[in-house]
């Protein structure tokens, strides 16, 4: 007997024009950051181990709706998606850090060198390497949710990356930077994992059990429908804050920001495209291939910024480069979400052939 596929809710007007809201938040964030630097400095100072607590709350609002969809008892089923896990691990650890080192050297160390401040080029490249060596933890849940990715795969993949990160980040960065030892900001790493993985998973599972226990699946569906706009508003507010934090720097050094962004942009689209193509090549289901592409392309920017500040200083070129990665991350990843959703018919055509 064939079971009809569930009907997806129609996209709202708010979601349809998400790219417009993103552009407005970027412009408003830059303007407010330049006009009200004291306000954004105060918000930025609310942090523990360089993890901003305001942004952390907003990320909770973004990722908990996705985590509510996950039944932890179903995590064992992720074994059927082992090809997707393999593709993402290959991109994150065997491709992305090395391709970023190559792109940074090519663009910043050679093509753009005459346009950049003397003496800062090596620091910029180091910041890009720090950015690429840390796979994303929190925001991946947002991207996966937006592209209707498989939630159990996403949670399992992020947890696996976090375990590898603890052991691989320092030696990998040390290898690429050519230094004997790397000071890993362990407090930032551990607090980020607790804030963005452990605690939200526990909170989501408690809420899920309570809602299903009192009203069944229908009650959970109603809650998820209500939380959808809240999640998107939190995303837009995060974007406004991130650009507001750097409003003065963007206006003071627009050319440097743009030039550093070039290899980051190429890196994101290259790694996302490679992960997506490999997934299709190896017969990975689209619901796994979409988040696999996003996990393969995005970065754990909190850790990268903290490591850059620890190694090179707050006002260093490396710190600026990681911040540019933060600024590029959200709008570019939203474009990747759009691409994988629009290309779903092409992706699945092979399976039907």
């Amino acid at each position: 007997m064939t079971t009809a596929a569930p009907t997806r809710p129609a996209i709202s007007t708010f979601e349809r024009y998400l790219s417009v809201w993103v552009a407005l938040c970027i412009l408003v964030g830059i303007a407010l950051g330049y006009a009200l630097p004291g306000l954004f400095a105060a918000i930025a100072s609310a942090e523990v181990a360089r993890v901003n607590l305001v942004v952390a709350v907003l990320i909770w609002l973004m990722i908990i709706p996705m985590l509510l969809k996950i039944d932890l008892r179903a995590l064992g089923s992720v074994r059927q998606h082992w090809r997707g896990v393999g593709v993402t691990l290959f991109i994150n650890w065997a491709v992305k850090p090395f391709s970023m080192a190559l792109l940074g050297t090519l663009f910043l160390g050679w093509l753009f060198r005459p346009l950049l401040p003397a003496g800062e080029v090596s620091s910029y490249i180091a910041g890009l390497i720090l950015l690429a060596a840390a796979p994303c933890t929190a925001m991946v849940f947002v991207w996966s949710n937006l592209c209707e990715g498989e939630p159990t795969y996403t949670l399992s993949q992020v947890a696996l990356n976090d375990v590898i990160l603890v052991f691989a980040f320092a030696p990998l960065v040390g290898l690429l930077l050519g230094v004997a030892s790397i000071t890993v900001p362990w407090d930032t790493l551990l607090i980020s994992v607790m804030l963005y993985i452990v605690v939200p998973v526990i909170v989501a599972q408690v809420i899920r059990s309570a809602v299903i226990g009192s009203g069944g699946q229908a009650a959970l569906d109603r809650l998820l429908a209500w939380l959808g706009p809240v999640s998107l508003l939190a995303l837009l507010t995060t974007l406004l804050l991130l650009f507001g934090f750097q409003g003065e720097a963007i206006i003071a050094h627009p050319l440097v920001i743009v030039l550093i962004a070039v290899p980051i942009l190429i890196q994101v689209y290259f790694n996302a495209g490679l992960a997506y193509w490999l997934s299709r090549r190896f017969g990975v289901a689209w619901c796994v291939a979409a988040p696999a592409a996003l996990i393969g392309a995005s970065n754990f920017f909190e850790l990268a910024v903290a490591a850059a500040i620890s190694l090179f200083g707050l006002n260093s070129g490396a710190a600026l480069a990681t911040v540019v990665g933060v600024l590029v991350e959200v709008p570019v990843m939203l474009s990747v979400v759009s691409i994988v959703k629009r290309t779903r018919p092409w992706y699945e055509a092979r399976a039907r052939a």
Side-chain angles (χ1 to χ4, degrees):
M1 183 176 67
T2 302
T3 303
T7 302
R8 294 191 181 276
I11 186 170
S12 67
T13 301
F14 179 73
E15 293 171 319
R16 184 176 296 114
Y17 293 102
L18 182 59
S19 59
V20 176
W21 314 138
V22 167
L24 288 175
C25 284
I26 291 173
L27 294 175
V28 172
I30 293 173
L32 289 177
Y34 182 76
L36 303 170
L39 173 62
F40 283 89
I43 297 173
S45 66
E47 60 179 25
V48 175
R50 303 186 187 91
V51 175
N52 187 272
L53 299 180
V54 177
V55 173
V57 171
L58 291 170
I59 290 178
W60 270 37
L61 292 175
M62 286 186 277
I63 68 177
I64 283 181
M66 176 181 173
L67 295 175
L68 283 171
K69 300 177 183 178
I70 298 174
D71 183 354
L72 292 182
R73 293 172 299 180
L75 281 179
S77 65
V78 78
R79 287 175 295 182
Q80 67 183 296
H81 302 308
W82 63 270
R83 291 184 180 87
V85 172
V87 166
T88 308
L89 290 178
F90 172 71
I91 297 296
N92 280 156
W93 300 106
V95 176
K96 188 164 68 171
F98 302 95
S99 61
M100 182 62 96
L102 177 62
L103 289 169
T105 301
L106 173 63
F107 283 94
L108 304 185
W110 181 46
L111 292 176
F112 298 156
R113 179 181 285 272
L115 303 174
L116 295 169
E120 290 286 358
V121 171
S122 296
S123 186
Y124 293 146
I125 296 173
L128 296 183
I129 290 172
L130 288 168
L131 194 66
C136 187
T137 294
M139 295 296 289
V140 162
F141 292 115
V142 181
W143 314 139
S144 181
N145 192 41
L146 288 175
C147 72
E148 302 161 3
E150 169 56 51
T152 54
Y153 158 78
T154 304
L155 177 60
S156 301
Q157 182 67 72
V158 169
L160 181 57
N161 269 339
D162 285 341
V163 172
I164 297 174
L165 190 65
V166 171
F167 299 99
F169 181 73
L172 183 58
V173 172
L175 171 67
L176 291 172
L177 294 184
V179 296
S181 62
I182 292 295
T183 303
V184 177
W186 293 108
D187 52 351
T188 300
L189 176 57
L190 296 176
I191 288 175
S192 294
V193 170
M194 288 295 295
L195 274 178
Y196 300 141
I197 303 295
V198 178
V199 175
V201 166
I202 293 173
V203 169
Q205 289 304 303
V206 169
I207 295 174
R208 176 187 170 89
S209 297
V211 172
I212 290 180
S214 61
Q217 184 64 40
L220 180 62
D221 292 340
R222 288 194 297 270
L223 176 61
L224 290 171
W226 181 83
L227 286 175
V230 174
S231 179
L232 289 177
L233 285 172
L235 172 62
L236 294 174
T237 305
T238 302
L239 189 60
L240 188 149
L241 284 179
L242 292 177
F243 278 84
F245 291 153
Q246 301 300 323
E248 288 186 297
I250 293 171
I251 292 176
H253 309 287
L255 179 60
V256 173
I257 300 293
V258 170
L259 295 181
I260 294 175
V262 170
I264 298 175
L265 287 169
I266 295 174
Q267 164 85 347
V268 169
Y269 290 121
F270 169 73
N271 284 291
L274 181 59
Y276 198 49
W277 178 79
L278 287 174
S279 295
R280 188 172 188 262
R281 177 70 178 80
F282 291 117
V284 177
W286 183 86
C287 63
V288 171
L294 297 159
I295 295 171
S298 55
N299 304 300
F300 189 174
F301 51 75
E302 296 90 352
L303 177 60
V305 172
I309 293 172
S310 298
L311 288 170
F312 300 98
L314 179 63
N315 298 314
S316 64
L320 179 62
T322 57
V323 167
V324 175
V326 177
L327 301 180
V328 168
E329 174 95 358
V330 177
V332 173
M333 292 307 294
L334 284 171
S335 74
V336 176
V337 168
S338 177
I339 290 169
V340 296
K341 291 179 72 174
R342 290 175 182 274
T343 58
R344 182 173 184 174
W346 165 82
Y347 186 97
E348 294 183 333
R350 181 185 182 111
R352 294 192 296 267

